[in-house]
Structures are given as C-alpha cells and as structure tokens.
Amino acid sequence: MISKDVQKAVGFLNRGEVVAIPTETVYGLAGNIFDKKAIDSIYAIKKRPRNNPLIVHINNVEKLSSVASEIPDIAHKLAAHFWPGPLTLLLKKQVNIPDYITAGKPTVAVRVPDHPIAIQLLADLDFPLAAPSANPFGRISPTTVEQVDSYFSNEIKMVLDGGRCKKGLESTIVGFEGEDVIVYRLGSISREDIERVIGKKTLLVNKEENSPKAPGMLLKHYAPKTKMYLVDNVNTAIQTIDKERVGLLLFKEPIENPKIAHKIVLSSAGDLEEAAYQLYEAMQTLDKMNLDYIIAERFPAFGIGNTINDKLERASVQ
Ligand code: TXA
Ligand code: MG
C-alpha cells in the first residue's frame, strides 16, 4: 500500500512491521530499533548481510545523547550546522542501543532526516527508527515511491509517500578518531562543506574492502543491471562503440551522435545539486531500456561532483 497517512505508518511501526519512509536523501526501510523481529525483517527483505549495520534516525539533536555517548565537540558542531540534514555521525553507542543495530560494533550511526513527514513520524513514535536505503542489497537506492514499490511491493505492507527525495544521494557518513575527522561515505554534503564548518581537513576512508567500517564502501554497489562504463571523455568513447543499443549518462552537454540509442543529461545548467537529484532515477531509467551498455561521463572532481563520481565508479565495470 502506498499512502500519505502518517498515523497508519505509526500503527504499523508500533506493531513491529517494516514501513518504507521518505527522507530528503533516499527512501528508507524503517523499523523500531528496539524490536529485534522488525530489524530481522529489514535484513531479510533487503537481503542485506548481517555484518552491515543500520543508521538510527531521530527527530532532533536533543535525542542524540540517548543514542550515542562520548560525543566530541566537533560532532556537536557538525550536528548543529547540518541537522536536520544528510549528515550521519558515527559515534560510540549508548549501552541501550542493541548489538543487532550496530552489527556488534561499539559505534552507532545516527542522523536527523530533513523531511517533514519523517520528522512527524519520528515525533509520534516512542523509539528511533533504523532505516537502511529501501533497495535490495547492491541495487540502486530509490528516490521515488514508485521505485520502492517496484522493489518491494510484495514484501512490505506500507510505503509512506513523501514525494520525490529532494537530495537524491545518501547521507555523508562522518566519524572521529582522536583529532581526525573521517568521511566514511561520500554523500549529499560535500567534504568541502564539512571542512568549512570544522575549519580543518577531513580524511577520506571509503575504499576498504573485506571487513569495511561502513559497507557502503564495498567497491561494487548501487549497480544497475546493464553494464556501465565510466569515462573521462565521452566523445572519444563514442568512437569505439561496437553495439546497436548504447546509452549515455551525461552531466551537461547534450552530445548528439547517431550511434546513441538513448541519452540522459543530468543538468543542462551544469548544476551539481540538480545532477545529484536526477542521478539515481536516470540510472534506473537507462537500466530499464534494454541497452547493450551505458557510457557515463565523469563529473568535475569537486563538491558533490566527487560523490557522484564515487557512486558512478561503484556502479561501473572496473
Ligand atoms: O541517506 C541515508 O543515509 C539513507 C536514509 C534512508 O537515511 N540510509 C542509508 O542507509 O543510506 P544504508 O543502510 O543504505 O547505508 C548506511 C551505511 C552503511 O554503509 C553502513 O555500513 C554504515 O552506514 N553504518 C551504519 N551503522 C554503522 C556503524 N555502526 N559503524 C559503521 N558503519 C555503519
Ligand atoms: Mg544503502
């Protein structure tokens, strides 16, 4: 069922059911963090490995200390600046946060989503919500109700309709080690924006394999089923096309070429935020077109251009 009825979602969540909820980044598959059965269902529905922990969602910064302990000043500063918003903080967990949320880790990931319906929902519940992105493991995160429904119409009772996600990329995950501020996942907030707020450089630790700290780091992730190649120069890449049905995923210039079956320009104005907003839906659209393969253009390496490149790299043939 797709519905805008927040009280219906409250009812399902209170009964330990899983509900897909809107956030400003992507849709999440939400459940009560204190209900092990609900959390087991999230893992089962997503087919997500149990060693990959979940983000805890709260509706205001005052609740942070009930979820996390030992919060560094710099974390308070980031929360004050970016919440509600697409920043996830990785902090030492409070004792009452169950191990099945953190996959046994001593840290908990937590954020305040910037979406009025998510905030209202959280305010009406007596518990925080764990919510991973509402896609099967390894697939593209959904930014629309329709996309969630196409993934999970049989598995979940309710998708809470909050419209299209206004950011379109996941939250940026930030943790703290000694004096270091570490970005574990590039997301909707750029490293530059974080560095401006904290007044120093961040470290990027997002490419570990095997036992990753934040498994969004897994090299293969967010993948379309159609093969995608990420290239620096699309015009050069077009010269080597050897198939009938090739798609292009472009930043701003609409390249015209008879060899191309379909193309999507993410922002003709050259606006990175707009490109981010369009990215996942464009990947879904191209993926449904029975293309032989997709050529994606590499983005400028600054701001959330770096996030977009990271997502494209993980979605591409390496
Ligand atoms: O924008 C978002 O963050 C969305 C919306 C729904 O809030 N959620 C999301 O969740 O992207 P998910 O589960 O798809 O990605 C969460 C990432 C995973 O890479 C996970 O490994 C990492 O956060 N993570 C969660 N808890 C962690 C922890 N305690 N320690 C290390 N990494 C953690
Ligand atoms: Mg995800």
Side-chain angles (χ1 to χ4, degrees):
M1 176 202 16
I2 297 175
S3 164
K4 292 192 160 81
D5 188 341
V6 174
Q7 290 320 308
K8 229 177 225 155
V10 168
F12 279 124
L13 290 162
N14 277 330
R15 289 193 295 279
E17 301 278 359
V18 173
V19 173
I21 63 161
T23 82
E24 81 283 28
T25 58
V26 299
Y27 272 79
L29 268 188
N32 176 357
I33 65 162
F34 299 118
D35 185 332
K36 182 165 186 305
K37 275 205 184 129
I39 303 307
D40 286 348
S41 307
I42 291 176
Y43 278 96
I45 292 168
K46 256 187 87 83
K47 299 197 171 61
R48 181 183 183 117
R50 286 303 302 221
N51 68 352
N52 192 340
L54 306 178
I55 297 179
V56 173
H57 295 70
I58 53 177
N59 61 320
N60 58 50
V61 69
E62 287 73 44
K63 292 193 178 151
L64 180 59
S65 56
S66 65
V67 174
S69 61
E70 296 179 23
I71 303 161
D73 288 346
I74 209 159
H76 279 298
K77 194 169 184 182
L78 285 168
H81 193 275
F82 289 110
W83 283 355
L87 172 76
T88 293
L89 295 176
L90 208 52
L91 297 164
K92 189 161 183 287
K93 79 178 189 74
Q94 271 297 3
V95 279
N96 63 324
I97 300 297
D99 280 341
Y100 55 75
I101 295 294
T102 66
K105 294 180 204 298
T107 51
V108 64
V110 55
R111 81 180 192 98
V112 179
D114 183 17
H115 193 295
I117 291 177
I119 294 288
Q120 194 198 328
L121 177 67
L122 288 163
D124 288 348
L125 292 167
D126 293 331
F127 44 81
L129 290 173
S133 53
N135 51 282
F137 182 67
R139 301 293 303 280
I140 301 167
S141 299
T143 54
T144 63
V145 163
E146 294 73 28
Q147 188 58 43
V148 179
D149 198 52
S150 79
Y151 281 145
F152 295 126
S153 58
N154 298 324
E155 285 91 346
I156 52 178
K157 296 216 169 105
M158 178 173 177
V159 184
L160 180 57
D161 185 353
R164 188 162 164 188
C165 303
K166 68 180 181 191
K167 294 287 182 191
L169 293 175
E170 295 87 344
S171 61
T172 303
I173 303 181
V174 175
F176 310 90
E177 286 206 14
E179 294 298 298
D180 291 336
V181 176
I182 302 170
V183 173
Y184 289 105
R185 179 175 72 180
L186 294 172
S188 265
I189 297 175
S190 70
R191 282 175 78 191
E192 291 92 323
D193 283 347
I194 289 166
E195 289 168 357
R196 259 191 295 277
V197 170
I198 62 179
K200 65 175 186 185
K201 291 282 173 199
T202 57
L203 301 177
L204 179 62
V205 182
N206 73 338
K207 294 245 157 86
E208 258 167 56
E209 289 175 76
N210 301 322
S211 178
K213 259 225 171 111
M217 292 178 183
L218 286 175
L219 266 180
K220 198 81 196 153
H221 214 79
Y222 320 108
K225 286 186 171 153
T226 314
K227 269 190 186 162
M228 190 158 94
Y229 297 92
L230 180 60
V231 304
D232 293 326
N233 187 322
V234 179
N235 282 308
T236 311
I238 286 175
Q239 307 310 317
T240 64
I241 286 178
D242 51 359
K243 294 275 197 229
E244 289 296 305
R245 292 186 55 76
V246 174
L248 288 186
L249 185 58
L250 302 166
F251 177 24
K252 56 182 173 183
E253 305 297 343
I255 290 172
E256 304 293 345
N257 190 296
K259 287 181 169 173
I260 300 304
H262 193 78
K263 65 163 187 277
I264 296 181
V265 175
L266 291 171
S267 171
S268 47
D271 176 357
L272 290 172
E273 304 262 336
E274 185 186 17
Y277 174 73
Q278 304 286 1
L279 178 69
Y280 288 161
E281 196 166 2
M283 281 164 67
Q284 301 279 9
T285 303
L286 290 170
D287 205 18
K288 286 175 191 147
M289 299 191 80
N290 276 315
L291 297 165
D292 290 310
Y293 56 86
I294 301 163
I295 299 173
E297 178 176 24
R298 190 179 293 280
F299 273 64
F302 57 82
I304 54 171
N306 283 322
T307 304
I308 295 173
N309 284 337
D310 181 69
K311 306 299 178 192
L312 290 173
E313 275 163 23
R314 289 171 206 269
S316 300
V317 178
Q318 305 289 325

